[in-house]
Amino acid sequence: MSTPHNWTTYTAFLRTSRASESDLKYFALHPWLAPLLSPGSPYRSVPFFSRLEKGENNTLDRFFNRVINTNDTIPHAIALVPGDEWLALRRKELFASSTSSPSSSQQNVTGEEKEQATTEQETTQKAEYDFILLTSLAPSLSGFTDTAHGGLLSALFDEAMGCCTAAFRNDDDAVQELFTVNLNVTYRRPVPLPGVYAIRVRVEKTEGRKWWLKGELVGGDGVVRTSAESLWVAARKGGL
């Protein structure tokens, strides 16, 4: 029996795991995703962690790993995360230095650190987004006829943003959980079903225990059909 997955080991999971061949082949059939999946991409393809079982009697992530993990809801989903070097540079940008703890109080980045980060970024493969969720949405997720339910889209943004924040935690910070305080979703255009979509997420800034993120959902036509902004707060040691 395989060992159940655990969010406290998420950063190690990102470094050692690879998306399944069946999911990679499925998404590779869509030409607009080729730049993200090619060998020269700044992203690594990994399993969407929320879809993995956390233990038979553990209800954590049950909505994603069972309820909508079916052929008639979300048959395929993978995550794309930047390489370790770019993540380290983003940590430095967001938390003043690559060794700063996202769960501790941060200081402003100095001019020298900004200049160093800029130089390093010029020599490191740049990733425009901090986390990308590729997902296929099937007709059983409809609200209106052949249109994705708005609540489902909100859940996808919330989960993608949670995975994004978790990727930024250093190994020794992995037990410090973050919680959604606010999620504002703007439904710009209908999301037709069935369809393949990318949810692209970026951390905009951090301040103390607060994290601000933005995300957008696009399809093969490149049109932003749904966007979201959120505020997350890191737990204090010993609880909220």
Side-chain angles (χ1 to χ4, degrees):
M1 180 180 297
S2 60
T3 302
H5 296 281
N6 192 309
W7 281 99
T8 61
T9 58
Y10 182 63
T11 53
F13 170 87
L14 294 180
R15 290 193 296 267
T16 59
S17 301
R18 186 174 186 274
S20 71
E21 287 300 323
S22 60
D23 281 335
L24 288 172
K25 288 180 180 178
Y26 173 81
F27 287 112
L29 294 174
H30 300 79
W32 66 282
L33 295 176
L36 297 174
L37 300 173
S38 67
S41 169
Y43 300 99
R44 300 193 308 269
S45 303
V46 300
F48 181 31
F49 195 73
S50 303
R51 279 168 72 92
L52 304 181
E53 287 282 350
K54 308 305 187 297
E56 180 63 29
N57 298 317
N58 189 343
T59 61
L60 182 65
D61 293 331
R62 187 64 57 83
F63 179 64
F64 278 92
N65 62 37
R66 293 195 185 181
V67 177
I68 58 172
N69 186 2
T70 65
N71 288 333
D72 60 350
T73 55
I74 301 182
H76 299 277
I78 63 173
L80 305 180
V81 295
D84 290 340
E85 289 185 357
W86 183 254
L87 275 177
L89 290 176
R90 287 285 286 143
R91 285 192 187 99
K92 183 178 294 187
E93 176 185 342
L94 291 167
F95 311 123
S97 73
S98 60
T99 57
S100 293
S101 168
S103 59
S104 63
S105 59
Q106 288 103 31
Q107 300 176 348
N108 292 329
V109 181
T110 65
E112 182 179 348
E113 287 173 327
K114 286 183 178 178
E115 183 177 351
Q116 180 182 0
T118 299
T119 301
E120 291 173 337
Q121 288 179 8
E122 291 174 351
T123 59
T124 304
Q125 193 171 24
K126 181 178 180 180
E128 185 175 359
Y129 302 97
D130 296 320
F131 183 90
I132 300 176
L133 172 62
L134 302 184
T135 180
S136 59
L137 304 181
S140 289
L141 297 174
S142 295
F144 285 105
T145 303
D146 298 328
T147 303
H149 192 288
L152 179 278
L153 299 178
S154 294
L156 287 171
F157 272 111
D158 187 49
E159 204 68 19
M161 289 174 168
C163 289
C164 179
T165 62
F168 275 98
R169 284 177 260 160
N170 293 317
D171 289 339
D172 58 352
D173 293 318
V175 296
Q176 292 300 113
E177 295 181 284
L178 286 98
F179 298 89
T180 316
V181 173
N182 176 271
L183 177 64
N184 182 30
V185 179
T186 301
Y187 302 101
R188 301 177 182 276
R189 297 191 180 187
V191 177
L193 299 180
V196 172
Y197 299 96
I199 293 179
R200 308 183 299 208
V201 177
R202 182 177 173 85
V203 179
E204 291 295 303
K205 67 176 182 177
T206 66
E207 183 179 304
R209 296 187 299 121
K210 297 179 180 180
W211 300 49
W212 286 266
L213 291 86
K214 289 185 178 180
E216 58 188 21
L217 179 147
V218 300
D221 58 5
V223 174
V224 176
R225 296 185 172 275
T226 311
S227 60
E229 298 180 351
S230 68
L231 168 63
W232 292 65
V233 172
R236 295 188 181 93
K237 291 185 178 181
L240 287 174

